[in-house]
Amino acid sequence: MSSFNFDVITLFPKAFELINNLGVITRALDKNLIDVNLHDLREFGEGSYKQVDDKPYGGGAGMVLKPEPIYKAHESIRKSPKSKTLLMTPQGKVLKQKDLLRWLNLDQIIIICGQYEGFDERVRCLADEEVSIGDYVLSGGEIPAISIINGLTRLLPGTLGDPDSLVDESHNSSLLEYPQYTRPQVFRNMKVPDVLTNGNHKDIRLWRKEQQLKRTFNRRRDLMKSNDIKKFDCDENDLRRF
Ligand code: SAH
């Protein structure tokens, strides 16, 4: 039994072959930390054509997923007491790192992927949460589902080689990550900042914090908390000067 089960209801199970080729996720699958169970919506379709979609009442472009096959697929999944059902929809709450952290307390996530023009409104009743991966529209919920599986799996203990790599990274706190460099020290005239090669760990810590503040201030001021600036003992004018 894996520590975390993903059950995905989808018309395109083949899309999920991608997760077998995504580095750390492959490792998590190999180590049996996660299981990804694909439930092919077509198998729950109706009639000899296994119909899963139909024209919308009231008219309008495109086809809409019917409720019965999705309900049947959802009912066929064995649910653990710590299970949640997520519905992929551009109308949902936009996914944040803190959502992934919150879902770590579960041991099963059921993901419903829409297609075409979406799904019958009554499908929403199955969802504990409706999730969007951003303010744009994709053709199906498969890429959003893979994003959730990927983002959550890398947080599971035992997945990443070094769990410390999660600590400083962007979106783990209200600050973005500092710039990172590796060898060579000079590459096409671009030099690694001296502070990183001098070996003074206190200076390095300070430089990194300063860079985090500067980056977040310049790129994503919306993420910053007021005490981020205070904690560093500087004010907005200092940041503007960076
Ligand atoms: N007409 C629908 C969009 C349909 S897009 C509407 O306006 O709400 C088809 C399917 O792709 C959706 O049902 C959903 O499952 C998925 N999808 C598209 N964009 C998405 C996004 N940003 N986040 C999550 N799922 C999305």
Side-chain angles (χ1 to χ4, degrees), residues 174 213 221 223-232 234-236 239:
S174 49
L213 279 165
R221 217 166 295 180
L223 296 175
M224 287 183 98
K225 302 210 180 88
S226 56
N227 63 348
D228 283 334
I229 300 179
K230 276 196 224 113
K231 256 193 303 198
F232 198 62
C234 64
D235 60 25
E236 286 210 9
L239 283 174

Side-chain angles (χ1 to χ4, degrees), residues 65 87-92 112-119 124 131-145:
L65 289 177
L87 180 63
M88 302 298 99
T89 162
Q91 301 182 25
I112 303 175
C113 303
Q115 268 293 333
Y116 313 125
E117 285 311 307
F119 36 75
R124 293 192 198 277
V131 184
S132 163
I133 60 160
D135 292 339
Y136 45 85
V137 181
L138 303 172
S139 65
E142 285 70 20
I143 290 170

Side-chain angles (χ1 to χ4, degrees), residues 55-83:
K55 290 188 287 240
Y57 275 119
M63 300 291 267
V64 171
L65 289 177
K66 292 164 67 59
E68 304 95 315
I70 298 181
Y71 269 71
K72 276 195 209 144
H74 192 259
E75 281 155 11
S76 77
I77 297 169
R78 221 174 87 201
K79 289 149 196 99
S80 93
K82 289 199 288 179
S83 166

Side-chain angles (χ1 to χ4, degrees), residues 119-132:
F119 36 75
D120 184 287
E121 186 66 15
R122 290 161 288 189
V123 169
R124 293 192 198 277
C125 301
L126 292 175
D128 295 303
E129 296 185 40
E130 297 188 17
V131 184
S132 163

